[in-house]
Amino acid sequence: MSGLASRLYRGEAGLQIVERRKLWFGVAGGVVLLAILSLVLIGFKPGIEFSGGNQFQVPVAAGSLADVETAIDNAVKDADPGATMVPAQQIGDAVYLIRTSALDDAQTKAVKESVAKALNLDVKSISDDRVSPQWGEQVTQQALLGLGIFLLVVTAYLVIRFEWRMAAAAVASLIFDLVATAAVYSVVGFEVTPSTVIGFLTILGFALYDVVVVFDKVQENTRGITGSSTSTYAEAANLALNQTFMRSINTSLVALLPVGGLLFIGAGLLGAGTLKDLGLVLFIGMAMAVYSSLFFATPVLVWLKEMDPVIANHTQRVRARRASLGKTAAEVVPGQPVVAVGATSAPKAGAKPVRPAGRPATKRR
């Protein structure tokens, strides 16, 4: 295992990621199919910001956050057995904010009276408001507008910085991340809130960064590749993946650790409910981005490049040369010259001359 780790760090593990792209495409296709089925059959579970509801503000002096949540939950269930409550959050040092599903005026009054009685408060100290679903719709519209602008700017940048095929592969990877994360939310039944929508936009930046790092190495390895016959575009791209594999893993771990702390410690142990939605979408989205940057973006790029006649002809030329030299792809190290079986390799510049075998050594006088 230590040997594999060392070779991964040196980029010499020889992982055949691009060669097995049909497998990765199959996995991605299965995830997308699952996402479509889940979105059609199950759909999302919208938060009260999208479906509308009520929110109550209770003074912090009433007790702990858990006591207030329990009192509100019991009161809401008594008023409407089918009602739901979003985890409460503390706003500054003054009040707790608790959101529930939609209640009518009579149910709202009953909840306030029940909570006041349970927490020994004056009813007038508990305030309530109606949460309009239009607010959630406005957030969604603004988020979709931001997503569209983001994709346009990113596409233009990638086309200028790299080329249109790399831009297409990167955008496909980003869309896969969004669809896969949405599928997890739909299947598991996580509640979608405005924080979730904002988190979706956040993970795009992380996913794009990882893809650009890999593509930068691919571009470096494949620059002028059609002028040589040592390796195909797919092999050079696969070499770039091996050379950046551990960097992608390390970057992802460094990013996932604080998000995991935010989710599991902040939201799970400390009860910071406002962090839960954002932490969930970031954690799932970043995990998806790790997969897509390593196993989806570059294979898509190679697939697009191999449809280019110039790259296709180059690939055929390399394979024909290997066949004439009796070499197979597995015997060739990308970047190293291909030498015929039984022949000696060309000496490097400045290397000590090798004396032919069988010739006696004589001293020069």
Side-chain angles (χ1 to χ4, degrees), residues 2 14 21 54-55 60 62 120 127 129 154 162 196 205 207 216 232 251 267 276-277 288 294 300 331 333 344:
S2 60
R21 56 183 178 270
N54 289 56
Q55 65 179 18
V60 171
N120 294 321
S127 60
D129 294 300
V154 164
F162 298 107
T196 307
D216 190 63
T232 65
T251 302
K276 178 183 175 182
D277 302 331
M288 292 295 176
L294 292 175
V300 169
E331 296 172 324
V333 178
T344 58

Side-chain angles (χ1 to χ4, degrees), residues 15-286:
L15 302 176
Q16 298 301 319
I17 298 174
V18 173
E19 184 179 353
R20 298 174 181 171
R21 56 183 178 270
K22 290 183 179 179
L23 172 63
W24 315 128
F25 290 164
V27 173
V31 172
V32 172
L33 179 61
L34 176 63
I36 294 173
L37 291 176
S38 65
L39 294 177
V40 172
L41 299 178
I42 303 175
F44 290 120
K45 181 182 178 182
I48 66 170
E49 294 87 351
F50 294 97
S51 60
N54 289 56
Q55 65 179 18
F56 297 90
Q57 293 185 353
V58 179
V60 171
S64 67
L65 183 64
D67 293 337
V68 173
E69 278 187 329
T70 302
I72 292 282
D73 190 42
N74 292 335
V76 169
K77 293 291 175 58
D78 290 339
D80 181 5
T84 59
M85 186 189 77
V86 177
Q89 56 181 299
Q90 183 173 340
I91 307 298
D93 297 329
V95 297
Y96 295 121
L97 179 65
I98 306 100
R99 293 189 177 95
T100 69
S101 54
L103 302 171
D104 58 29
D105 291 340
Q107 292 170 333
T108 301
K109 181 180 178 182
V111 168
K112 292 174 64 177
E113 291 176 348
S114 177
V115 171
K117 182 178 180 181
L119 299 176
N120 294 321
L121 295 173
D122 185 353
V123 175
K124 295 181 180 178
S125 65
I126 303 174
S127 60
D128 68 284
D129 294 300
R130 292 284 177 86
V131 179
S132 171
Q134 279 72 30
W135 182 70
E137 293 177 1
Q138 292 176 359
V139 172
T140 303
Q141 291 174 357
Q142 294 297 323
L144 292 176
L145 178 62
L147 175 63
I149 295 174
F150 175 83
L151 291 178
L152 285 176
V153 172
V154 164
T155 302
Y157 167 75
L158 293 175
V159 169
I160 296 172
R161 173 65 178 80
F162 298 107
E163 58 166 312
W164 73 265
R165 291 179 182 85
M166 285 189 173
V171 171
S173 174
L174 296 181
I175 293 175
F176 170 78
D177 294 335
L178 290 179
V179 172
T181 306
V184 173
Y185 258 75
S186 176
V187 171
V188 179
F190 292 145
E191 196 172 70
V192 178
T193 67
S195 297
T196 307
V197 176
I198 295 171
F200 270 102
L201 298 179
T202 306
I203 62 176
L204 292 179
F206 172 81
L208 179 66
Y209 166 77
D210 215 21
V211 170
V212 167
V213 169
V214 177
F215 280 4
D216 190 63
K217 192 64 179 176
V218 171
Q219 188 184 48
E220 178 184 332
N221 286 3
T222 58
R223 186 174 291 116
I225 193 170
T226 55
S228 67
S229 301
T230 57
S231 60
T232 65
Y233 187 93
E235 292 165 352
N238 190 74
L239 177 62
L241 273 175
N242 278 271
Q243 292 170 334
T244 57
F245 193 89
M246 283 308 299
R247 182 164 56 179
S248 296
I249 294 295
N250 290 336
T251 302
S252 304
L253 287 177
V254 170
L256 282 174
L257 284 177
V259 174
L262 183 77
L263 176 63
F264 297 111
I265 299 178
L269 297 180
L270 303 181
T274 52
L275 302 177
K276 178 183 175 182
D277 302 331
L278 186 61
L280 268 175
V281 69
L282 289 179
F283 194 83
I284 297 171
M286 287 182 176

Side-chain angles (χ1 to χ4, degrees), residues 339-352:
V339 181
V341 176
T344 58
S345 58
K348 296 181 180 179
K352 185 178 180 180

